[in-house]
């Protein structure tokens, strides 16, 4: 799928926002459809099967979080980019834990929005045709053999470090919340400080400059994202 030929559904009850998004997305070659509320969005997703959904949380008939929950509970894996004026971390975490792929806060820059859209579409393609070896820049992760290389040299990771990296690789480009990572790596709730310690150790091993990471980025108060090239 050519990313710029993708179909994007805009779900927002504010006409100026829909108009801005429609014009910006059309200028980049995306096909656009629209819905003004949650029920309309669910019907349109079922009808047209868009490649990505841009979803406002503050809809007139139902909360955007309920739209995400309905889609994911029904097995629909369409990438969802939440676009909302809510700035509280709790709202971001809830949307991501429910299955949203990313979160952009209003007001937003179109360059940032396009970057997040491309990342979400690449993540979808990666899942559909998942490769046994992940590469991004100087980082290479062989998921079959559990071998990690940086700049051509093999890097030795502890089991927990590898499990964290494997999760990030499996969802490259997507924000993973602290809770998601702790649930997968530790099998349930644990002290988030343990996760931070392991991520710091992981950065020491794979980042050229751990203080300015290029691969494992922190989403403050939310979780982590593995960048893709």
């Amino acid at each position: 799928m050519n990313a710029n030929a993708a179909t994007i559904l805009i779900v927002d009850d504010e006409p100026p926002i829909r108009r801005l998004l429609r014009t910006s997305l059309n200028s980049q070659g995306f096909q656009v459809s629209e819905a003004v509320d949650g029920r309309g969005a669910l019907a349109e997703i079922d009808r047209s099967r868009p490649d990505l959904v841009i979803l406002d949380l503050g809809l007139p008939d139902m909360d955007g979080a309920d739209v995400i929950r309905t889609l994911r509970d029904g097995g629909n894996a369409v990438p969802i980019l939440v676009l909302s004026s809510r700035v509280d971390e709790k709202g971001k975490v809830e949307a991501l834990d429910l299955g949203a792929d990313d979160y952009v806060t209003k007001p937003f820059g179109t360059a940032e929005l396009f970057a997040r859209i491309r990342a979400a579409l690449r993540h979808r393609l990666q899942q559909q045709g998942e490769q046994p070896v992940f590469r991004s820049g100087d980082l290479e992760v062989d998921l079959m053999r559990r071998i990690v290389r940086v700049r051509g040299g093999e890097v030795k990771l502890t089991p927990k470090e590898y499990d964290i990296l494997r999760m990030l690789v499996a969802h490259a480009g997507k924000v993973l919340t602290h809770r998601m990572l702790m649930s997968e790596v530790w099998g349930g709730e644990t002290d988030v400080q343990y996760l931070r310690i392991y991520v710091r150790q992981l950065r020491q091993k794979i980042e050229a400059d751990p203080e300015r990471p290029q691969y494992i980025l922190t989403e403050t108060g939310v979780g982590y994202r593995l960048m893709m090239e």
Side-chain angles (χ1 to χ4, degrees):
M1 178 181 67
N2 182 339
N4 282 21
T7 299
I8 296 178
L9 171 64
I10 301 167
V11 186
D12 199 300
D13 64 331
E14 297 182 55
I17 295 292
R18 292 202 309 278
R19 185 164 55 249
L20 170 62
L21 287 170
R22 181 175 64 249
T23 302
S24 299
L25 292 168
N26 283 159
S27 74
Q28 295 295 309
F30 292 106
Q31 302 297 311
V32 176
S33 57
E34 300 176 24
V36 300
D37 57 29
R39 291 183 180 84
L42 292 171
E44 180 63 20
I45 291 166
D46 187 56
R47 185 190 70 80
S48 65
R49 305 289 180 185
D51 297 300
L52 181 139
V53 177
I54 297 177
L55 175 68
D56 182 28
L57 292 181
L59 298 173
D61 61 338
M62 61 193 297
D63 195 277
D66 292 324
V67 175
I68 300 170
R69 183 182 291 106
T70 299
L71 288 170
R72 297 308 189 232
D73 286 351
N76 192 315
V78 61
I80 299 172
L81 178 64
V82 168
L83 184 66
S84 180
S85 56
R86 300 180 191 175
V87 296
D88 62 297
E89 290 171 358
K90 183 179 179 183
K92 292 182 184 180
V93 171
E94 180 188 20
L96 292 165
D97 276 339
L98 285 171
D101 291 73
D102 212 338
Y103 193 111
V104 175
T105 304
K106 298 176 183 177
F108 57 91
T110 54
E112 178 191 7
L113 181 66
F114 291 147
R116 300 295 179 90
I117 288 172
R118 288 192 295 270
L121 290 172
R122 284 201 303 271
H123 173 236
R124 178 72 178 277
L125 286 173
Q126 180 192 339
Q127 285 189 314
Q128 290 172 345
E130 202 162 351
Q131 299 298 314
V133 179
F134 171 87
R135 294 182 180 90
S136 180
D138 293 326
L139 175 65
E140 180 181 300
V141 183
D142 187 327
L143 296 167
M144 299 294 289
R145 300 163 62 198
R146 295 175 65 96
I147 294 174
V148 179
R149 294 186 178 90
V150 178
R151 293 176 289 280
E154 188 172 340
V155 177
K156 297 295 185 183
L157 302 181
T158 68
K160 283 286 190 288
E161 290 167 355
Y162 179 81
D163 286 345
I164 292 168
L165 182 60
R166 177 185 54 80
M167 275 290 294
L168 290 167
V169 163
H171 302 279
K174 177 178 178 177
V175 180
L176 296 185
T177 65
H178 296 132
R179 190 171 80 175
M180 286 178 183
L181 285 163
M182 291 187 297
S183 175
E184 288 295 325
V185 175
W186 278 272
E189 294 296 326
T190 190
D191 190 335
V192 72
Q193 191 60 29
Y194 287 127
L195 175 60
R196 293 191 177 109
I197 289 169
Y198 278 103
V199 169
R200 185 163 62 246
Q201 292 173 179
L202 190 51
R203 283 173 170 159
Q204 292 286 343
K205 295 180 179 181
I206 70 171
E207 300 280 3
D209 182 352
E211 298 303 316
R212 290 188 286 274
Q214 294 180 314
Y215 298 118
I216 303 176
L217 303 188
T218 298
E219 297 287 332
T220 304
V222 177
Y224 299 97
R225 179 204 307 268
L226 182 69
M227 292 302 291
M228 294 186 297
E229 287 194 354

